Amino acid sequence: MKLYHNVLEDLAEEVYEQLAQSSNCCTCERCHNDVVAYALNLLPPQYAVTNMGDKLTKANNLRRQHLADIQTAVSKGLKVVSESPRHDEKL
């Protein structure tokens, strides 16, 4: 049973939902996953094991600079994926 979780996954998903609507990037499942994965690869992981650790890490990451870093990473992902979408490739 997996007891650890990268809290930035949740935050990157939330930021993606906010930014994808105003971008010209495809929002199919494949492109969505590519954008979030691209963003997460630019950010340092923030793992938590307990619910309290998860909440503390999320609170820390919602500070202005951390949120700006997440928004920048997701924006870069949207740009890269919109320039070269892979949704037509077979998995």
Side-chain angles (χ1 to χ4, degrees), residues 49-74:
V49 177
T50 64
N51 284 337
M52 179 59 75
D54 188 56
K55 290 176 185 174
L56 289 172
T57 303
K58 280 184 183 176
N60 182 49
N61 282 313
L62 289 177
R63 292 185 182 153
R64 287 183 191 229
Q65 187 58 51
H66 286 134
L67 186 56
D69 293 343
I70 297 166
Q71 290 170 331
T72 298
V74 172

Side-chain angles (χ1 to χ4, degrees), residues 6 15 19 21 31 34 37 47 49 51 55 59-60 62 72 77 80 83-84 86:
N6 183 358
V15 170
L19 298 179
Q21 296 171 1
C31 291
D34 284 347
Y47 286 96
V49 177
N51 284 337
K55 290 176 185 174
N60 182 49
L62 289 177
T72 298
V80 168
E83 291 173 353
S84 186
R86 300 184 318 146

Side-chain angles (χ1 to χ4, degrees), residues 1-18:
M1 178 168 82
K2 181 176 133 179
L3 298 176
Y4 53 88
H5 175 68
N6 183 358
V7 176
L8 288 187
E9 290 180 28
D10 299 331
L11 296 171
E13 284 287 345
E14 290 174 22
V15 170
Y16 170 85
E17 293 300 328
Q18 295 168 0

